[in-house]
Amino acid sequence: MAIPAPRPFDAPVTIAVRPFDTFDNKCLLRPIMDQTTSRWATLIMSALIAGPHRFAQLHARVGGISQKMLSQNLKALARAGLVARHVAPTKPPQVTYSLTELGVSLAGPLTDLIRWFGQHGDELLAAQKHYDSQQG
């Protein structure tokens, strides 16, 4: 068995440094992470992965979301660079929302998360029922 030669002391040391540590409570990405991984943002992005939607289409697709909450989430997602807002020069203006390239890269994992919940729904509900039955 060959033993590797020791590294000379003057050889450069490579240290992998992550530019952002989201486990750190002072990380600048925490507010963006909170906004983009909320229930509503996750559902909006997963709806948009199918293609561009008008506001009313998104409102109909994401059951239970108010128009105000949809508007707030779309603004936050656009600010984060995940959603693009396209305004057609018509009267009245037609606004369409779509995922940016960055948004598509996040929507895939978020859609996988939603799919996971759907696949494990029975197990999750059974676990909750079991836990609740064990509580006094």
Side-chain angles (χ1 to χ4, degrees), residues 46-121:
S46 292
L48 288 174
I49 204 166
H53 284 64
R54 303 266 312 275
F55 187 90
Q57 291 173 306
L58 279 172
H59 186 253
R61 178 70 180 115
V62 182
I65 193 170
S66 69
Q67 289 185 357
K68 179 182 177 183
M69 190 58 64
L70 177 57
S71 179
Q72 287 176 351
N73 275 271
L74 285 168
K75 286 177 185 175
L77 292 169
R79 184 171 183 250
L82 302 170
V83 168
R85 183 177 187 267
H86 308 280
V87 181
T90 59
K91 291 192 181 193
Q94 292 184 347
V95 180
T96 306
Y97 298 91
S98 61
L99 294 174
T100 63
E101 188 175 327
L102 186 61
V104 169
S105 72
L106 178 58
L110 291 178
T111 302
D112 289 343
L113 178 65
I114 290 170
R115 188 177 300 113
W116 182 91
F117 276 99
Q119 292 170 342
H120 297 282

